[in-house]
């Protein structure tokens, strides 16, 4: 029995993305072990016990139970009633527990909770970067700390303002030079379908000075030249950026800082500093989401209710 083909066939009117499907089948195979998928129907309690025994994280359990439910529901017409429904109930239960735990931890996952720190500590590390030695790292982290954008910053390419304005299709992320100033023009980011073009002016004098030096020394002056480079001189990837951040901050701060943690630290600081509605709304626009998402998913409240959980009190 080919579980991938089976799910595709049974759910052709309610398709699952290829990446998600691959993950579901992988989880099912881990639980079943020998690809005898009938065990999804016959060994329901044993399968539930296996997931609970092997994973403490409620979010992970939720994903496994949803995979098991979908798999069992596709085996035969009675699959959902005999097993799928039970797995789905377990999934919902663990989803609720995960949400409760998430709120208790100040909207931080377990991994983020372990590595979370406040914005001031992050900025202190950034301000102490040796710019001559790590100029690119300084530019990236400075942009992140000022604007709280995501990993898409890794792939920005250079373009002059006059050329940018003439572009018929704007579907990349750009560092746009306008005379002696710069701005970011983001089109390829997580929520771009909802919010469209995201223009972010870069106004910090020191950041602008370092950007100019970086572009000049690396001869980055042609349209679509990658702004940030890896060790091979090729354009940086989002994965490269993540590793760069975690490695540097772990060395300097003992924390594996990610762009998500920086975003959450920024929202939390602005909220606790009782910024005006205009400022909070502007920050949400820069970050590419609504104020509701900003407050419900990025505001950790670490200086209040969950400070003890985050180890800051």
């Amino acid at each position: 029995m080919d579980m991938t083909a089976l799910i595709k066939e049974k759910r052709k009117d309610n398709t699952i993305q290829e990446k998600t499907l691959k993950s579901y089948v992988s989880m099912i195979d881990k639980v079943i072990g020998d690809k005898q998928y009938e065990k999804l129907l016959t060994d329901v309690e044993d399968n539930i016990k296996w997931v609970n025994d092997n994973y403490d994280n409620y979010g992970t359990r939720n994903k496994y139970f949803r995979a098991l439910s979908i798999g069992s529901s596709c085996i035969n017409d009675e699959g959902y009633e005999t097993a799928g429904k039970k797995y789905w109930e377990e999934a919902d239960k663990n989803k609720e527990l995960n949400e409760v735990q998430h709120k208790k931890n100040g909207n931080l996952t377990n991994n983020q909770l372990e590595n979370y720190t406040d914005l001031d500590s992050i900025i202190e590390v950034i301000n102490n970067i040796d710019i001559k030695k790590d100029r690119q790292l300084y530019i990236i982290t400075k942009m992140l700390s000022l604007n709280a954008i995501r990993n898409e910053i890794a792939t920005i390419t250079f373009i002059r303002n006059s050329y940018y304005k003439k572009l018929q299709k704007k579907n990349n992320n750009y560092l746009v030079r306008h005379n002696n100033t710069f701005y970011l023009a983001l089109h390829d980011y997580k929520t771009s379908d909802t919010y469209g073009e995201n223009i972010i002016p870069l106004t910090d004098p020191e950041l602008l000075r370092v950007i100019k030096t970086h572009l000049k020394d690396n001869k980055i002056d042609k349209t679509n030249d990658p702004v940030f480079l890896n060790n091979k001189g090729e354009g940086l990837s989002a994965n490269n950026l993540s590793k760069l951040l975690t490695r540097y901050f772990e060395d300097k701060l003992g924390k594996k800082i990610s762009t998500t943690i920086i975003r959450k630290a920024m929202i939390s600081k602005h909220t606790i500093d009782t910024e005006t509605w205009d400022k909070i709304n502007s920050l949400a626009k820069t970050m590419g989401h609504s104020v509701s998402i900003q407050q419900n998913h990025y505001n950790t409240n670490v200086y209040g209710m969950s400070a003890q959980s985050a180890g800051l009190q």
Side-chain angles (χ1 to χ4, degrees):
M1 183 186 297
D2 185 336
M3 181 56 69
T4 301
L6 183 64
I7 294 176
K8 283 184 176 180
E9 172 61 25
K10 294 292 185 178
R11 293 179 62 92
K12 57 186 176 184
D13 295 329
N14 187 14
T15 56
I16 300 174
Q17 290 185 351
E18 198 67 34
K19 184 178 179 181
T20 304
L21 176 57
K22 184 178 179 180
S23 175
Y24 280 167
V25 174
S26 175
M27 286 186 276
I28 292 170
D29 286 343
K30 279 185 181 180
V31 178
I32 302 304
D34 53 10
K35 295 186 183 295
Q36 295 184 29
Y37 297 118
E38 291 79 6
K39 291 182 179 179
L40 285 169
L41 306 181
T42 60
D43 299 349
V44 176
E45 295 303 327
D46 287 343
N47 295 335
I48 291 173
K49 185 176 185 302
W50 187 94
V51 173
N52 288 332
D53 286 348
N54 282 275
Y55 298 100
D56 294 327
N57 184 276
Y58 297 128
T60 303
R61 289 180 183 177
N62 171 36
K63 292 176 184 177
Y64 266 86
F65 289 130
R66 290 187 187 281
L68 295 176
S69 179
I70 289 171
S72 59
S73 299
C74 291
I75 291 177
N76 59 44
D77 293 339
E78 293 76 36
Y80 180 74
E81 288 301 324
T82 58
K85 187 175 182 180
K86 181 76 177 206
Y87 293 132
W88 201 261
E89 289 171 353
E90 290 293 322
D92 281 345
K93 180 174 71 176
N94 279 276
K95 180 184 178 182
E96 291 178 7
L97 289 170
N98 188 56
E99 289 173 351
V100 170
Q101 185 67 51
H102 197 56
K103 289 295 181 184
K104 182 180 178 182
N105 289 347
N107 285 325
L108 297 164
T109 66
N110 289 339
N111 183 58
Q112 291 168 355
L113 183 64
E114 181 180 344
N115 290 289
Y116 188 83
T117 191
D118 60 278
L119 185 63
D120 289 340
S121 297
I122 292 171
I123 290 175
E124 183 178 357
V125 171
I126 295 170
N127 289 339
N128 284 317
I129 291 176
D130 185 339
I131 297 178
K132 290 183 179 180
K133 180 182 177 182
D134 292 308
R135 182 191 299 143
Q136 178 169 278
L137 177 67
Y138 174 81
I139 295 171
I140 291 171
T141 53
K142 195 72 173 178
M143 284 183 177
L144 290 172
S145 69
L146 290 172
N147 303 291
I149 42 189
R150 299 182 181 90
N151 284 9
E152 61 265 9
I153 192 178
T155 60
I156 57 174
T157 56
F158 176 83
I159 192 170
R160 295 185 184 279
N161 184 64
S162 56
Y163 287 100
Y164 177 73
K165 295 298 184 184
K166 295 177 183 177
L167 285 179
Q168 296 298 312
K169 290 186 178 181
K170 298 174 180 176
N171 49 18
N172 295 320
N173 299 320
Y174 307 94
L175 174 67
V176 187
R177 181 161 196 163
H178 184 42
N179 298 324
N180 285 321
T181 62
F182 295 87
Y183 63 89
L184 296 175
L186 306 181
H187 297 266
D188 182 17
Y189 60 98
K190 186 176 179 181
T191 54
S192 58
D193 288 344
T194 302
Y195 295 100
E197 179 185 58
N198 190 6
I199 299 296
I200 304 173
L202 302 177
T203 59
D204 183 84
E206 178 68 2
L207 175 60
L208 293 174
R209 183 189 69 78
V210 179
I211 288 174
K212 290 174 187 175
T213 303
H214 174 73
L215 297 180
K216 181 180 179 181
D217 288 357
N218 289 282
K219 299 180 180 178
I220 301 169
D221 57 6
K222 298 181 181 64
T223 298
N224 290 328
D225 277 353
V227 173
F228 301 127
L229 308 171
N230 61 23
N231 293 333
K232 296 180 181 178
E234 302 166 341
L236 203 67
S237 69
N239 188 48
N240 292 150
L241 186 148
S242 294
K243 291 179 179 179
L244 187 69
L245 283 181
T246 54
R247 185 167 56 243
Y248 189 81
F249 278 98
E250 187 172 21
D251 178 57
K252 301 299 181 182
L253 199 59
K255 302 278 188 178
K256 295 180 180 179
I257 300 297
S258 64
T259 54
T260 300
I261 287 179
I262 293 175
R263 286 160 68 84
K264 292 192 174 191
M266 175 173 281
I267 287 299
S268 302
K269 178 168 177 62
H270 280 300
T271 301
I272 203 66
D273 284 349
T274 61
E275 295 284 344
T276 65
W277 172 260
D278 286 344
K279 175 64 177 178
I280 291 174
N281 192 53
S282 174
L283 190 56
K285 182 179 183 299
T286 297
M287 294 174 74
H289 54 55
S290 66
V291 173
S292 174
I293 292 293
Q294 176 197 89
Q295 293 301 313
N296 290 328
H297 296 278
Y298 286 92
N299 181 13
T300 66
N301 292 315
V302 293
Y303 296 98
M305 180 180 65
S306 63
Q308 189 172 5
S309 297
L312 300 176
Q313 260 190 5

